[in-house]
Amino acid sequence: MGGAPIRSRARRVALAGAASGLRTAGQRCPLWTADRLCLFSPDAMAREDDLRSQALTKPAFSETQASALVESVFGLKVSTVRPLPSYDDQNFHVHVSRTRDTADGPTEYVLKISNTESSKTPELIEVQSHIIMFLGAAGFPTASVCRTKGDNLTSLVSVDNNSEITSYLVRLLTYLPGRPIAEIPIGPQLLYEIGVLAAKLDKTLEKFHHPKLSCLRRENFIWNLKNVPRLENYLCALGQSRNREIVTQVIRLFKDEVLTKLSHFRECVNHGDLNDHNILVEASKSGSGGTAYQVSGILDFGDMSYGYYVFEVAITITYMMIESKSPLHVGGHVLAGFESVIPLTPVERGALFLLVCGRFCQSLVIAAHSCRLHPENTEYLMITAKTGWKHLQRMFDMGQKAVEEIWFQTARSYDSGISM
């Protein structure tokens, strides 16, 4: 979830107990003392003290405990389980053994255990799960959501850590094949196809209906792109530096030139996090004998919220730039693909530069702030920052007009059939 790679734990404390003691909602489970950490809670972004004082619980299940969960809640026989990288939840890659009842089913799954804050909003996770299923039925490469033995999409697991009962929402999704695009050389054609994917996803979600869909109006959610000005509360993490000066200017321009135009943008539901680790691809041989890549999976719907079409393309451009060898041209290729499905209006196009700058600022400032709180996780937290600051500085030095000229000229080249 979110743009920075991970929200870190404050510290590891002793875990005790046995997996056999797992219980579902309403039952005590004297298992372990859970990890404590500071999360960027949607309701606690007013001051740095809010983040420091709001100790929320990230799941700290062992592999044995995760295996017991899968067997007791979902009725599957686990053969192997290993942890996966996670943001503020906990994920496990699970292999199951085939049985007479599951002979035709998949054998690989992802067990997702939500943090305590997310577990307090089961309606949000329910809507996300229904969206995943809706998109899968519409032909998108999303996971399948597995039902519990009680025929539910989630189960609430309660843990007794002596002083209080802590509850976690648990889900099981099928495991998607492929490699994150962060691990491959990404060329213009794939960038174009990712732009198409982003637009088709938002367009398809126009047809999605659910009685609790309004829970995606997450006005205080820090990762919603319109909340860039909230970064003012965390600028101290940057010290007195040129980076801080750039972010300050981006926030000022964002207030003046983006927030004043929100009423002119077309609203939709955004995935909100189509980054280079949340899109999977598989390789195949191209007609020329080279390697071509096709999108095989879309991951992590935890940042979904109401936004605007232009937000989705801006977020996608930002993350596709991170590891690109030609970052300034990325925007044109992604934009061309997006606009082949949803052409932007002049007002939306005019905001694209500041929206991309704003997303870089969100990812970089929040990562810096988290590193300040938890320096032991600096290397993991600062993945985006390795090249992110360089790209943001370069864009800002060149200025909006020059960057837009590259983007829009690259996008126009697709109209003539000659992509740049």
Side-chain angles (χ1 to χ4, degrees), residues 46-89:
R47 301 184 313 276
E48 180 175 351
D49 288 344
D50 292 333
L51 286 184
R52 190 180 295 276
S53 64
Q54 183 141 358
L56 305 176
T57 306
K58 177 175 178 173
F61 287 67
S62 69
E63 294 175 24
T64 302
Q65 292 160 354
S67 178
L69 264 182
V70 173
E71 297 189 7
S72 63
V73 175
F74 298 96
L76 298 174
K77 180 65 177 176
V78 175
S79 56
T80 64
V81 59
R82 65 177 178 85
L84 293 170
S86 60
Y87 199 85
D88 49 12
D89 302 320

Side-chain angles (χ1 to χ4, degrees), residues 6-274:
I6 192 170
R7 295 186 177 102
S8 62
R9 305 173 193 176
R11 61 189 176 89
R12 173 75 58 148
V13 294
L15 301 182
S20 58
L22 287 168
R23 297 290 184 269
T24 53
Q27 297 177 298
R28 286 177 171 252
C29 173
L31 255 180
W32 63 87
T33 303
D35 280 9
R36 308 300 293 182
L37 74 163
C38 289
L39 296 182
F40 298 103
S41 165
D43 299 320
M45 296 304 297
R47 301 184 313 276
E48 180 175 351
D49 288 344
D50 292 333
L51 286 184
R52 190 180 295 276
S53 64
Q54 183 141 358
L56 305 176
T57 306
K58 177 175 178 173
F61 287 67
S62 69
E63 294 175 24
T64 302
Q65 292 160 354
S67 178
L69 264 182
V70 173
E71 297 189 7
S72 63
V73 175
F74 298 96
L76 298 174
K77 180 65 177 176
V78 175
S79 56
T80 64
V81 59
R82 65 177 178 85
L84 293 170
S86 60
Y87 199 85
D88 49 12
D89 302 320
Q90 194 176 19
N91 300 325
F92 291 91
H93 184 185
V94 179
H95 284 79
V96 302
S97 304
R98 291 198 182 278
T99 65
R100 183 168 54 186
D101 295 332
T102 62
D104 297 327
T107 59
E108 293 184 73
Y109 296 88
V110 174
L111 176 68
K112 298 182 71 68
I113 307 171
S114 298
N115 65 75
T116 54
E117 189 70 10
S118 297
S119 296
K120 293 174 185 175
T121 56
E123 67 280 357
L124 179 60
I125 293 177
E126 178 186 341
V127 169
Q128 292 168 3
S129 297
H130 279 282
I131 285 176
I132 291 171
M133 294 188 293
F134 175 81
L135 290 172
F140 288 84
T142 58
S144 296
V145 183
C146 305
R147 292 188 174 273
T148 68
K149 291 194 293 187
D151 200 32
N152 299 308
L153 296 179
T154 63
S155 179
L156 191 65
V157 177
S158 296
V159 177
D160 188 345
N161 64 1
N162 297 323
S163 61
E164 61 180 348
I165 300 296
T166 306
S167 297
Y168 304 95
L169 272 175
V170 175
R171 290 177 290 168
L172 192 68
L173 307 178
T174 53
Y175 185 84
L176 293 174
R179 298 170 60 190
I181 58 172
E183 298 178 0
I184 66 165
I186 181 167
Q189 185 59 37
L190 185 54
L191 289 169
Y192 180 91
E193 292 172 4
I194 289 169
V196 171
L197 176 72
K200 285 185 174 179
L201 191 151
D202 284 6
K203 194 74 173 173
T204 301
L205 287 177
E206 291 179 359
K207 305 183 184 79
F208 177 77
H209 300 285
H210 190 279
K212 298 176 182 176
L213 187 59
S214 61
C215 71
L216 293 183
R217 294 195 179 278
R218 305 165 74 180
E219 297 301 316
N220 297 317
F221 185 44
I222 188 60
W223 291 106
N224 190 305
L225 198 43
K226 72 179 179 182
N227 287 328
V228 166
R230 289 173 175 260
L231 298 177
E232 288 177 326
N233 300 307
Y234 308 101
L235 293 180
C236 56
L238 304 180
Q240 297 300 322
S241 63
R242 181 160 185 265
N243 289 342
R244 179 169 178 163
E245 293 173 4
I246 291 174
V247 173
T248 300
Q249 291 183 65
V250 169
I251 292 173
R252 177 179 58 79
L253 291 169
F254 198 96
K255 289 178 179 178
D256 294 341
E257 301 181 26
V258 175
L259 295 187
T260 56
K261 296 182 175 68
L262 288 181
S263 62
H264 299 286
F265 297 165
R266 292 166 296 168
E267 189 182 55
C268 67
V269 172
N270 293 145
H271 177 281
D273 196 17
L274 290 175

